[in-house]
Amino acid sequence: MKLLRVLNGEAISPPPVWLMRQAGRYLPEYLQVRAKAGDFISLCLNPELAAEVTLQPIRRFGFAAAILFSDILILPMALGQGLRFAEGEGPLLPPLQDTSCLNIRAAPGVYAPVLETVRRVRAALPPETALIGFAGGPATVACYMLDGKGGGEFPRTRRLAYDNPALVQSVLDILVDSTITYLQGQITAGANCVMLFESWAGIFPPAQFRKYVIEPNKRIVSALKAANPGLKIIGFPRLCGLLLGEYVRETGVDAVGLDTVTDPAAAIAACPPGTVFQGNLDPLLLKAGGAALDMEVARLLEAFRGTPHIFNLGHGITPDVPTAHVERLMQLIHAG
Ligand code: CP3
């Protein structure tokens, strides 16, 4: 598997490619299955349909990796917190007041269908295509659990970090333990590597970033690596800025997903030798297409040449990206 060769430190040209949110609303075949499933959560918990949408972008574009079709918020739902997706509004949860409603032991029964999806996808994928398992990073998932919705500001979580740090820490502790069990389940079911989405890592000042992002990520990485020798883990501490090098060094992740605003050369200089990079084309440019896309892809390939690199976006693909632009992207990368 090309993806695993790169995760093991090899620089390959052209690099393996996959795209965050590669299964999603920009694909007409996804919309069809989504309509059949009813709502998004039912789709995540339906192994047959979830496996189908995981495989769709592989068939269409030949990406080097499939990523399990699920969501980072399935874990809090499995722990007992209510979750719904309001059309046009994104996820909504009842903001957590304390942790007494969370039940770690009940969670595996609720997310069992997700592990069945992993089994089915691994069995159906071509042998050269890697399957990426994932979970949200504890800080990011805690933001949704404590604020009850997305949007990127998370005012309640940030305030609680000052007013009631014990509550924040107890949510994080529960998430660390349950994330280890959840990801171990995905690995046992056939995931070839795993990724931690710390999409909102960038909202915390440095001292909180160390406590709420680095420490919990480190505990997850250590536990999974101890139990699975050779396992490769990708971290994605989005918008963490100058704390990138410290994040990689301290957590022990093998690879780091770079956000759209991070310069490749600066990232390479900041991280320990041997770090693998994933990223970081602006999703908006994939939507725009044209000569600007061609030039930026060439620039990124050049910036990472000689460095182990997995080509990806700097954040998820948006529903309005024309599939022709993704085809163009694949051509550009394979022409190298
Ligand atoms: O990458 C993939 O193709 C795999 C599946 C995946 C989804 N969500 C599917 C999804 C993954 C890895 C995620 C991660 C996720 N979910 C993150 C971290 C990555 C990131 O984007 O920052 C976050 C923050 C979430 C929470 C979440 N889920 C939000 C904020 C939303 C609403 C946004 C929107 O586009 O409406 C979702 C819904 C969601 N997750 C969709 C998909 C395909 C859209 C659901 C639909 O309407 O079909």
Side-chain angles (χ1 to χ4, degrees):
M1 291 176 201
K2 214 166 154 181
L3 189 95
L4 289 185
R5 280 169 56 202
V6 173
L7 286 174
N8 276 294
E10 208 179 317
I12 299 180
S13 178
V17 192
W18 71 278
L19 303 179
M20 288 190 276
R21 290 278 179 93
Q22 64 191 15
R25 286 169 295 189
Y26 74 109
L27 291 178
E29 60 269 35
Y30 170 83
L31 293 174
Q32 259 179 17
V33 175
R34 168 91 148 71
K36 197 155 77 169
D39 61 278
F40 173 66
I41 296 173
S42 307
L43 177 53
C44 291
L45 296 177
N46 180 325
E48 184 192 345
L49 298 183
E52 168 59 21
V53 296
T54 306
L55 295 166
Q56 285 173 345
I58 308 304
R59 293 193 201 109
R60 193 191 259 264
F61 304 113
F63 294 128
I67 181 159
L68 164 68
F69 187 85
S70 182
D71 196 86
I72 64 166
L73 300 177
I74 292 294
L75 186 59
M77 190 198 76
L79 288 166
Q81 199 176 8
L83 170 67
R84 64 193 182 90
F85 281 84
E87 212 55 59
E89 261 189 278
L92 294 173
L93 307 92
L96 208 61
Q97 303 305 320
D98 58 64
T99 53
S100 63
C101 64
L102 302 178
N103 185 344
I104 288 205
R105 273 186 304 270
V110 184
Y111 62 61
V114 175
L115 305 187
E116 175 58 20
T117 304
V118 173
R119 274 178 223 110
R120 290 183 185 216
V121 173
R122 188 55 271 172
L125 277 175
E128 70 275 14
T129 310
L131 174 56
I132 304 171
F134 75 90
T140 297
V141 177
C143 282
Y144 285 94
M145 293 171 82
L146 291 166
D147 264 86
K149 58 180 173 19
E153 291 288 330
F154 302 104
R156 181 164 181 258
T157 305
R158 284 158 60 214
R159 182 65 197 256
L160 284 169
Y162 295 112
D163 291 349
N164 192 352
L167 173 59
V168 177
Q169 193 60 53
S170 75
V171 177
L172 290 172
D173 289 342
I174 290 169
L175 285 172
V176 167
D177 289 347
S178 54
T179 300
I180 291 168
T181 309
Y182 182 44
L183 287 176
Q184 184 60 54
Q186 295 181 30
I187 294 159
T188 305
N192 302 108
C193 61
V194 295
M195 174 157 167
L196 277 173
F197 285 88
E198 272 297 16
S199 302
W200 298 111
I203 68 168
F204 298 104
Q208 289 175 8
F209 180 87
R210 293 184 178 107
K211 209 156 73 176
Y212 298 155
V213 179
I214 291 184
E215 266 308 304
N217 279 236
K218 178 181 178 163
R219 283 161 62 194
I220 295 169
V221 171
S222 316
L224 291 176
K225 281 182 170 274
N228 305 273
L231 175 72
K232 298 296 167 185
I233 303 179
I234 308 168
F236 181 47
R238 197 170 74 91
L239 300 177
C240 73
L242 294 175
L243 294 161
L244 182 73
E246 188 175 332
Y247 172 86
V248 173
R249 248 190 326 276
E250 296 297 323
T251 60
V253 293
D254 303 280
V256 67
L258 300 181
D259 55 43
T260 303
V261 298
T262 298
D263 179 61
I268 294 168
C271 292
T275 303
V276 178
F277 296 92
Q278 178 172 279
N280 67 341
L281 183 75
D282 187 351
L284 203 66
L285 191 48
L286 188 58
K287 175 182 169 182
L293 174 65
D294 291 15
M295 273 161 50
E296 179 64 2
V297 171
R299 188 190 72 84
L300 282 174
L301 291 174
E302 207 41 54
F304 288 109
R305 201 173 293 281
T307 303
H309 175 220
I310 299 159
F311 199 101
N312 205 315
L313 302 174
H315 201 188
I317 191 169
T318 52
D320 47 12
V321 168
T323 53
H325 292 186
V326 180
E327 279 154 22
R328 176 70 185 157
L329 172 70
M330 296 304 278
Q331 276 173 5
L332 290 166
I333 293 170
H334 290 129

